[in-house]
Amino acid sequence: MNKFIALIFFSLIIFPLKTNANENFSVEIEALKLVMEKYKEDTKSNIELDVSNKKPIYMALKQDECNATVEVTEKTGLEIVSTEFFDVNVCKKEIYKVIN
């Protein structure tokens, strides 16, 4: 009986914490979704025969409640081919490419 009560008690503590994690990272998640959709559209329009296993890696950093910066790094194995930065406004669903 004690194990059953402990199971219920711990499940009530753990599950609300998991739902809060999605709320804490909602800006980053939405920014990543927007950039991934845009990035896939851009790569489909620029079809190259010499792709040689380019794989994009995405990383998001929250600035405030509506804005995030997303870094897209293309790699082929261990070699970094290119890195692009995007400023994303999640509230307005706008993406701006940062030019270095």
Side-chain angles (χ1 to χ4, degrees):
M1 186 67 175
N2 287 338
K3 289 181 182 180
F4 181 70
I5 293 171
L7 178 67
I8 291 174
F9 178 71
F10 287 122
S11 64
L12 292 175
I13 291 174
I14 292 173
F15 287 121
L17 294 176
K18 281 189 167 185
T19 58
N20 289 338
N22 284 342
E23 293 172 8
N24 291 339
F25 295 108
S26 64
V27 174
E28 290 97 329
I29 293 169
E30 188 65 29
L32 287 170
K33 282 189 211 175
L34 291 171
V35 170
M36 285 180 183
E37 289 171 3
K38 176 71 174 165
Y39 199 74
K40 284 181 183 178
E41 289 174 8
D42 289 346
T43 56
K44 285 181 183 177
S45 62
N46 296 331
I47 298 174
E48 297 177 7
L49 296 176
D50 188 24
V51 173
S52 67
N53 296 329
K54 288 184 186 176
K55 295 182 182 178
I57 298 171
Y58 300 91
M59 184 176 68
L61 188 66
K62 181 178 178 180
Q63 295 173 353
D64 58 27
E65 295 303 317
C66 285
N67 296 307
T69 301
V70 177
E71 176 185 357
V72 181
T73 304
E74 280 190 339
K75 294 177 83 173
T76 57
L78 297 175
E79 180 184 2
I80 295 176
V81 178
S82 67
T83 302
E84 296 176 329
F85 293 93
F86 299 93
D87 284 333
V88 181
N89 187 328
V90 175
C91 298
K92 296 180 182 177
K93 298 192 184 285
E94 295 177 341
I95 301 171
Y96 303 103
K97 184 174 180 180
V98 176
I99 300 174
N100 295 341

